[in-house]
Amino acid sequence: MQLFQNQQIKIYNSLSGKKEILKPINEGHIGMYVCGPTVYSNVHLGNVRTFMSFDMVFRYLKHLGYKVRYVRNITDAGHLENDADTGEDKITKKARLEQIEPMEVVQRYTVDFHNILNTLNFLPPSIEPTATGHIIEQIELISKIIDNGFAYEVNGSVYFDVHKFNETNEYGKLSKRKLEDLIHNTRTLDGQSDKKNPQDFALWKKAEPQHIMRWPSPWSDGFPGWHLECTAMSTKYLGEQFDIHGGGMDLKFPHHECEIAQNEAAKGISPVNYWMHANMLELNGQRMSKTTGNTVNPDELLSGKNKFFSKAYNPSVIRFFNAQSSYRSVLDLTDDGLLASEKGFYRLMDAVNLLENLSPSDKSTIDIKAWKQKCYDAMNDDFNSPILIAHLFEAAKYINLVKEGSETLSQEDLNIFTETINNFVYDVLGLKNTSKNDSGTDKLSGAVDVLIKLRQEARANKDFALSDKIRDELAAVGIQLKDGKEGTTFSVN
C-alpha cells in the first residue's frame, strides 16, 4: 500500500479561492506543470523561490508514492519586453546588445539556471520542453482557436478575441477580474491598431525584417506569443486536462488567465484542476528591482559577494530559510533572517546526527506514531512546511531528551523515528546533512571577527598603521572588510 492511500492532501486552489482535497484525475498519478524561466539573463532569486517551493511539492508527492510527471518549460522565444504584444523579444534584444546569436543567449542562461538549481539540490523535472522545440504544436493550437471563432488574423499576426470568448466563457475567472473593469481601465495605445480591442492578446506575431528568431506559419514568418507555449506544452505532455499548474503569483494575470482562455477556446475544456501560486520574494522589505539596485543574484547570495549580506550561505540554509515560510506568503529575504535560519538549521542537523547513537529501551515514553502523523498532517495541509519544521524541532528536543535519559524509545519506535526524520529532512525538504564545521566557515568567521575587534581597538587608539595593516593583509588573502553604519562585515573573494 502506498502512503498516499492513507494521507489526504488539501491544496489551496487559486481558481476557487479555497483549500480543496487533491483528487488526481488518474489514481496514483499526478500531472504537474510549472512555468519555467525566460532564459535571457541570470535566473532571478524570486523565480528560484517559486521553483524551490514546487520542488518541495514534487518531492512530497513522490514521497507519498504518487507517480508524478513534472513538466517545467524553458521559454527561449516569444517573450516580449514588458510582457506586452509590442516591442522586442527579450532574448533577441540580449543577443543584439551582446552581438551574439539568440541561441547563444539561450544556452548561456539555461546552463546558469541548471547550475543554480543543482547547487540548491533541486530534483530535475520529468520533462523540460522548450518553446522553440514546439513551434508546430503552437501553430496547430492557433489554427484550432481560429477555426472555433475565437481568434483573427491581421497583417500576418493572429490575436485572441477576448470579447468574443467572453460571450460564452468567463475571461478573468482565475484572477477574479471582470472584462468590463479591464475595458474601463485600459488606455488605447499606439501600435496596437491591428487589434480589435486592447484586451486581445497575440497568439502569433509577424516578424519585422530585423527580427532574428522567426518561423514559417500559415499567416507569416513570425513567432508565437508568450502565453501560447505553456498551453501547447502542458497539454502535449500531461493531457487536455491535468492535475496541478504552478507558477509565481505575478503570472496569474495575464499569463495563466490567457492559458485557460486558449485551452477552453481550442478544446472546450478548462485545462487544470488545481492552480497553485507561490508568492513574492522581497529583499529587506522592498520589492527586488534592477533599476533601484535592490536585487541580488542567487550566485551572489551563495558566494557572499554582494552588498546586502554579511557572509556566504550554505545552499541548505537557503532551502531551510525558504521552507520556514508558507509558499503562499510574501517572504522577506534579510541577513538577520538568514542568520537565524542558519542557527536553526545547524541546531536541527546537530540533533539529527545524534540519532544513530541513541540506544533503544524496552518501552517508549514518547508517542512517536502521533508525532509522525503530525508531520504528515502539516504537509497535507497545503504543504505547510513551517509547521513541519516546528515538528522537526520537536523531534530535536526528543532526541536530546532520549540522549540524556529523560525519555526512552523502543527499538521499533526508534526505527520509525529515524526513518521519518530522514524522509522529511532529506527527501521532502531537500536538505543536505551539513555539519556546522564541515567547511570551516564558522571557524573562519570567528578568526576574522577577532581581527576585526583588534582593528577596532587599534582605530580607537589612533593606531591607524596597525588598523590599515590588518585590513590590507586580510585583503591580500582574499578577505574584504566592509565598514558600515552597523559595524564591520567581511566577504571572501
Side-chain angles (χ1 to χ4, degrees):
M1 179 180 289
Q2 296 289 354
L3 283 170
F4 67 77
Q5 293 173 289
N6 293 322
Q7 306 294 335
Q8 187 179 80
I9 297 178
K10 287 186 177 180
I11 293 177
Y12 182 84
N13 190 347
S14 298
L15 190 61
S16 65
K18 61 184 180 182
K19 291 179 185 178
E20 300 176 3
I21 296 171
L22 174 62
K23 296 179 180 178
I25 295 170
N26 299 304
E27 186 177 357
H29 294 72
I30 298 286
M32 183 170 76
Y33 186 91
V34 173
C35 292
T38 301
V39 283
Y40 71 100
S41 64
N42 298 107
V43 62
H44 190 277
L45 198 57
N47 289 340
V48 170
R49 191 245 171 144
T50 295
F51 302 138
M52 192 176 291
S53 297
F54 286 105
D55 180 65
M56 183 181 65
V57 171
F58 180 38
R59 286 171 172 274
Y60 185 59
L61 293 172
K62 284 171 65 69
H63 168 69
L64 291 182
Y66 283 110
K67 186 174 182 180
V68 187
R69 177 174 289 179
Y70 174 24
V71 183
R72 187 185 65 214
N73 71 300
I74 295 286
T75 297
D76 57 354
H79 195 164
L80 301 185
E81 292 180 275
N82 303 316
D83 302 339
D85 287 334
T86 58
E88 195 170 6
D89 180 282
K90 291 181 177 181
I91 292 167
T92 301
K93 180 179 180 179
K94 186 77 169 184
R96 178 175 55 79
L97 292 173
E98 296 193 8
Q99 296 185 326
I100 58 177
E101 284 289 329
M103 282 302 147
E104 288 184 75
V105 174
V106 167
Q107 179 71 8
R108 176 186 302 171
Y109 295 113
T110 299
V111 169
D112 168 74
F113 173 66
H114 289 148
N115 286 341
I116 291 296
L117 267 54
N118 288 338
T119 300
L120 291 167
N121 198 31
F122 278 63
L123 295 179
S126 313
I127 303 173
E128 193 173 53
T130 63
T132 56
H134 295 77
I135 298 296
I136 293 173
E137 289 86 350
Q138 293 178 76
I139 290 173
E140 290 174 348
L141 188 60
I142 295 170
S143 297
K144 286 182 182 178
I145 296 173
I146 292 174
D147 291 345
N148 290 342
F150 294 112
Y152 56 91
E153 183 265 332
V154 180
N155 297 327
S157 293
V158 181
Y159 296 97
F160 189 95
D161 193 332
V162 171
H163 290 245
K164 177 70 173 177
F165 174 79
N166 204 54
E167 292 174 5
T168 53
N169 297 270
E170 184 184 355
Y171 183 78
K173 62 185 176 182
L174 177 65
S175 57
K176 310 300 185 287
R177 304 186 188 203
K178 297 292 184 184
L179 183 57
E180 294 78 13
D181 296 333
L182 294 172
I183 294 170
H184 179 74
N185 292 322
T186 301
R187 295 182 293 111
T188 301
L189 302 176
D190 292 337
Q192 291 192 330
S193 56
D194 282 352
K195 296 183 183 182
K196 290 181 181 178
N197 301 285
Q199 296 77 33
D200 296 348
F201 57 89
L203 299 174
W204 187 266
K205 289 287 291 182
K206 180 181 180 180
E208 299 298 325
Q210 70 274 15
H211 200 97
I212 304 171
M213 302 178 80
R214 58 174 68 214
W215 292 266
S217 80
W219 313 286
S220 65
D221 278 5
F223 53 93
W226 171 41
H227 310 305
L228 193 68
E229 62 174 287
C230 289
T231 298
M233 292 188 287
S234 62
T235 55
K236 176 181 176 67
Y237 295 110
L238 298 175
E240 293 187 356
Q241 283 187 303
F242 56 95
D243 300 297
I244 298 171
H245 194 314
M249 192 73 75
D250 56 322
L251 297 180
K252 188 184 291 187
F253 185 89
H255 186 55
H256 291 161
E257 200 72 72
C258 293
E259 279 192 61
I260 292 175
Q262 289 166 162
N263 211 81
E264 291 183 351
K267 299 166 186 177
I269 52 175
S270 189
V272 180
N273 286 346
Y274 306 91
W275 285 91
M276 296 178 65
H277 290 95
N279 217 321
M280 308 299 288
L281 180 69
E282 294 182 343
L283 180 59
N284 294 323
Q286 297 182 338
R287 182 180 178 136
M288 286 201 201
S289 169
K290 288 183 180 179
T291 55
T292 62
N294 191 56
T295 187
V296 60
N297 284 339
D299 59 339
E300 294 171 334
L301 178 61
L302 288 161
S303 68
K305 296 179 181 178
N306 62 81
K307 63 182 180 181
F308 298 102
F309 300 99
S310 59
K311 56 184 292 185
Y313 287 99
N314 185 287
S316 282
V317 170
I318 296 171
R319 285 194 73 107
F320 191 70
F321 173 79
N322 185 71
Q324 286 183 292
S325 177
S326 165
Y327 76 91
R328 289 197 291 121
S329 300
V330 174
L331 179 58
D332 188 16
L333 183 66
T334 66
D335 196 41
D336 287 344
L338 281 168
L339 287 170
S341 287
E342 184 179 58
K343 289 179 181 177
F345 169 73
Y346 286 123
R347 183 157 59 91
L348 179 61
M349 287 298 113
D350 287 344
V352 171
N353 288 330
L354 293 175
L355 267 172
E356 62 184 27
N357 296 319
L358 294 185
S359 299
S361 300
D362 293 336
K363 62 179 182 177
S364 297
T365 57
I366 304 169
D367 190 344
I368 289 301
K369 291 183 176 65
W371 169 83
K372 175 181 176 180
Q373 188 55 47
K374 286 196 296 184
C375 292
Y376 281 100
D377 289 344
M379 288 301 289
N380 291 342
D381 183 17
D382 196 32
F383 310 99
N384 198 330
S385 55
I387 299 300
L388 169 64
I389 288 173
H391 295 320
L392 292 175
F393 277 124
E394 185 181 12
K397 183 181 72 173
Y398 292 158
I399 291 169
N400 287 308
L401 290 173
V402 172
K403 181 190 175 190
E404 294 166 4
S406 303
E407 302 282 1
T408 61
L409 290 175
S410 68
Q411 184 67 65
E412 179 187 359
D413 280 348
L414 182 57
N415 291 342
I416 293 171
F417 193 42
T418 302
E419 181 183 31
T420 304
I421 289 175
N422 288 337
N423 284 339
F424 281 104
V425 170
Y426 304 129
D427 296 345
V428 175
L429 293 180
L431 306 176
K432 288 188 174 181
N433 192 336
T434 306
S435 168
K436 198 172 187 179
N437 297 317
D438 274 355
S439 64
T441 300
D442 287 85
K443 291 180 180 178
L444 175 64
S445 296
V448 175
D449 285 342
V450 170
L451 291 170
I452 288 173
K453 288 177 183 177
L454 290 174
R455 179 170 174 262
Q456 289 170 341
E457 290 174 5
R459 295 172 77 179
N461 295 328
K462 297 187 178 180
D463 188 351
F464 298 113
L466 177 58
S467 169
D468 290 346
K469 184 178 181 181
I470 292 171
R471 181 199 63 204
D472 295 343
E473 293 201 7
L474 284 173
V477 295
I479 298 172
Q480 300 291 331
L481 298 185
K482 301 177 186 177
D483 295 318
K485 293 180 181 178
E486 305 298 323
T488 302
T489 59
F490 75 93
S491 61
V492 181
N493 295 330

